C-alpha cells in the first residue's frame, strides 16, 4: 500500500485528518496536517481542500480563506512522490487522476472569488506552490524556501509552475525552472511568487486578527521589508545566459560567463535529468506563449502523464527519496543524446485517459 493509499484509508476510517478545516470568525482556515511528511499532498487532501473551498464559496459567513501548514518546517513540500514512484514503476494510472484533480484545484484557487490568503512559511515546493502561489494574498517569511525542484527527480514543473515562472521578470523563471533552486522571501517577491513579507514570529497574531477583519486591512500592520535577495543582482548573467536557444547553449554560456554563480548554476543544471531539462525549457517557453493559466495547466497535465512513462521519473525519485543515494542514472545520460522527438512526446495529445482539466 502506498503512502497515499494509507492516508486515504486512514481518513475513511476516521483515524487521521490530514487537512483540518475550520471557520474562525469570518475566515475559513485550511491547515495541511501531515507535519512528519512536510505536509506533502495526497489525493484525498486535494479533494478535501476542494470540498472545503466549494462550501465556503457559497457561505456568506465566510469572507476569506487562509491556508497554512502544521508544524514548524513548512507549508507543503509538494506531492506525495513516493506514491507517484510506485505508480510509474507499476505502469498504473492513479497519478493521472491525482494530477487532474490537483490541477483543477490550482485553477480554482486562481479564480476563487474570495480573498485566499496563503502563509508560505518554511518549505513551499512543487504542489505546495500550487496551493499557495495562485492565491490572491501570498505571504512569505524569513524562513520561506520556495521552489519548483522537479528537474532533480526527472520531472517537469507542474501545478501551474511553468505559468508562474514564465511570468517572472526577464529569464529568472527559466533559471529557477532548470536549476530547481529555492528562493527566499525577497526573491519570491521579485519573481511574483508572493505579495507580502511578514516575520514568522508575527504569523500567530496575524492569523488571529484575520478572524475578525479582512486581509487587506490587517496585512499593513504586519508586513515588513524582507531585506536583500540574491536574484536582482544576478539579472545580468541570468538574462544573457538563459536567452540561448537550447539547454546545451545555456550551459555553455553559464560556464563561459566568468561569474562563479553562473558556473555554479551550470553545474547544478548538469546534475539534473537531461530529458527533464529539455522538456522543462520547452514547457516554460510554451507557457509564456499560452499566457493564461488554464491552457498551461492543460499542457502540464499532458506533460506530467507522459512523464509517467519516462525512466527518469522512477529513477529520480528512487535516488532522491527511496534509496537516497543521490546518484541518479539518467537515461539518456547526456543532453546531447536527448532528441527533439524525445521532447516532443511530452506535449503530444493524450488518448484514452478521460477528460482533461476542467478549468472553466
Amino acid at each position: 500500500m502506498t503512502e497515499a493509499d494509507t492516508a486515504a484509508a486512514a481518513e475513511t476510517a476516521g483515524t487521521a485528518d490530514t487537512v483540518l478545516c475550520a471557520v474562525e470568525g469570518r475566515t475559513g482556515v485550511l491547515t495541511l496536517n501531515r507535519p512528519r511528511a512536510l505536509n506533502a499532498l495526497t489525493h484525498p487532501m486535494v479533494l478535501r481542500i476542494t470540498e472545503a473551498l466549494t462550501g465556503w464559496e457559497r457561505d456568506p459567513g465566510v469572507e476569506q480563506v487562509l491556508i497554512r501548514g502544521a508544524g514548524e518546517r513548512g507549508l507543503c513540500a509538494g506531492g506525495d512522490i513516493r506514491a507517484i514512484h510506485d505508480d510509474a514503476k507499476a505502469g498504473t494510472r492513479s497519478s493521472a487522476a491525482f494530477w487532474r484533480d490537483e490541477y483543477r484545484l490550482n485553477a480554482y484557487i486562481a479564480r476563487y472569488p474570495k480573498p485566499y490568503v496563503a502563509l508560505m512559511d518554511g518549505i513551499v515546493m512543487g504542489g505546495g506552490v500550487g496551493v499557495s502561489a495562485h492565491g490572491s494574498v501570498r505571504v512569505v517569511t524569513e524562513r520561506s524556501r520556495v521552489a519548483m525542484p522537479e528537474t532533480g527527480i526527472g520531472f517537469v514543473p507542474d501545478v501551474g509552475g511553468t505559468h508562474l515562472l514564465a511570468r517572472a521578470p526577464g529569464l529568472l523563471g527559466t533559471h529557477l525552472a532548470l536549476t530547481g533552486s529555492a528562493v527566499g522571501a525577497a526573491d519570491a517577491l521579485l519573481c511574483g511568487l508572493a505579495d507580502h513579507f511578514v516575520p514568522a514570529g508575527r504569523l500567530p497574531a496575524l492569523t488571529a486578527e484575520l478572524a475578525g477583519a479582512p486581509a487587506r486591512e490587517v496585512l499593513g500592520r504586519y508586513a515588513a521589508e524582507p531585506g536583500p535577495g540574491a536574484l536582482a543582482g544576478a539579472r545580468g548573467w541570468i538574462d544573457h545566459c538563459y536567452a540561448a536557444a537550447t539547454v546545451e547553449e545555456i550551459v555553455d554560456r553559464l560556464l563561459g560567463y566568468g561569474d562563479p554563480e553562473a558556473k555554479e548554476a551550470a553545474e547544478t543544471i548538469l546534475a539534473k535529468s537531461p530529458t527533464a531539462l529539455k522538456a522543462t525549457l520547452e514547457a516554460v517557453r510554451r507557457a509564456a506563449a499560452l499566457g493564461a493559466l488554464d491552457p498551461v495547466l492543460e499542457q502540464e497535465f499532458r506533460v506530467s502523464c507522459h512523464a509517467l512513462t519516462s525512466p527518469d521519473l522512477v529513477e529520480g525519485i528512487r535516488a532522491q527519496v527511496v534509496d537516497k543515494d543521490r546518484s541518479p542514472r539518467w537515461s539518456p545520460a547526456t543532453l546531447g543524446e536527448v532528441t527533439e522527438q524525445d521532447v516532443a512526446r511530452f506535449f503530444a495529445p493524450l488518448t484514452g485517459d478521460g477528460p482533461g482539466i476542467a478549468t472553466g
Side-chain angles (χ1 to χ4, degrees):
M1 179 178 286
T2 68
E3 193 171 356
D5 293 332
T6 302
E11 286 194 344
T12 301
T15 59
D17 202 346
T18 55
V19 179
L20 305 178
C21 307
V23 176
E24 299 179 5
R26 63 180 68 189
T27 300
V29 179
L30 294 165
T31 305
L32 306 184
N33 191 36
R34 296 182 70 210
R36 286 184 295 177
L38 277 170
N39 301 317
L41 290 173
T42 64
H43 200 169
M45 292 172 71
V46 166
L47 297 176
R48 179 77 65 89
I49 295 167
T50 302
E51 179 184 27
L53 290 178
T54 302
W56 289 337
E57 179 181 355
R58 300 166 182 162
D59 185 346
V62 174
E63 298 181 8
Q64 60 195 4
V65 170
L66 175 103
I67 188 167
R68 62 189 179 186
E72 298 295 323
R73 299 169 65 194
L75 170 66
C76 174
D80 187 343
I81 59 175
R82 279 183 177 269
I84 294 170
H85 168 274
D86 294 346
D87 188 37
K89 193 171 182 179
T92 49
R93 304 293 291 174
S94 60
S95 293
F98 166 60
W99 287 324
R100 185 183 293 112
D101 288 331
E102 184 183 25
Y103 301 172
R104 285 173 175 165
L105 172 60
N106 302 146
Y108 185 29
I109 290 169
R111 66 173 186 271
Y112 202 66
K114 299 180 179 181
Y116 182 98
V117 183
L119 301 186
M120 301 171 68
D121 183 34
I123 293 173
V124 185
M125 297 183 178
V129 173
V131 297
S132 59
H134 297 299
S136 53
V137 183
R138 305 162 301 173
V139 177
V140 285
T141 75
E142 73 278 7
R143 302 188 301 201
S144 295
R145 302 298 295 164
V146 184
M148 295 299 297
E150 285 76 10
T151 56
I153 58 167
F155 197 45
V156 178
D158 64 338
V159 299
T162 60
H163 170 77
L164 294 165
L165 295 174
R167 291 160 59 92
L171 292 172
L172 294 179
T174 304
H175 167 67
L176 296 180
L178 295 183
T179 62
S181 298
V183 297
D187 290 329
L189 293 167
L190 172 64
C191 292
L193 301 173
D195 307 299
H196 307 278
F197 170 77
V198 174
R202 299 182 187 179
L203 291 183
L206 168 65
T207 301
E209 198 165 340
L210 284 172
R216 64 179 180 275
E217 296 179 7
V218 173
L219 273 166
R221 295 194 286 275
Y222 292 89
E225 290 298 318
L231 292 180
R235 283 287 302 276
W237 63 264
I238 287 176
D239 288 351
H240 169 73
C241 296
Y242 289 92
T246 67
V247 179
E248 292 97 323
E249 293 175 68
I250 288 171
V251 170
D252 287 344
R253 287 192 184 188
L254 289 168
L255 291 173
Y257 195 81
D259 187 299
E261 290 184 352
K263 182 175 183 292
E264 182 179 351
E267 292 169 348
T268 298
I269 290 171
L270 289 172
K272 311 299 183 183
S273 158
T275 302
L277 287 168
K278 288 198 171 183
T280 294
L281 181 62
E282 180 70 12
V284 171
R285 289 176 173 174
R286 289 191 183 206
L290 288 169
L293 174 61
D294 287 5
V296 173
L297 285 167
E298 293 280 0
Q299 172 177 280
E300 289 181 349
F301 184 64
R302 292 194 300 274
V303 171
S304 296
C305 288
H306 287 304
L308 274 178
T309 62
S310 167
D312 279 4
L313 180 58
V314 171
E315 174 61 12
I317 298 175
R318 179 207 64 77
Q320 296 297 326
V321 177
V322 180
D323 296 337
K324 299 182 180 180
D325 58 29
R326 306 293 192 270
S327 299
R329 295 177 291 276
W330 305 123
S331 178
T334 66
L335 289 166
E337 294 175 274
V338 181
T339 68
E340 291 183 4
Q341 291 74 23
D342 292 333
V343 175
R345 79 171 189 85
F346 282 87
F347 300 89
L350 297 171
T351 57
D353 202 43
I357 309 303
T359 56

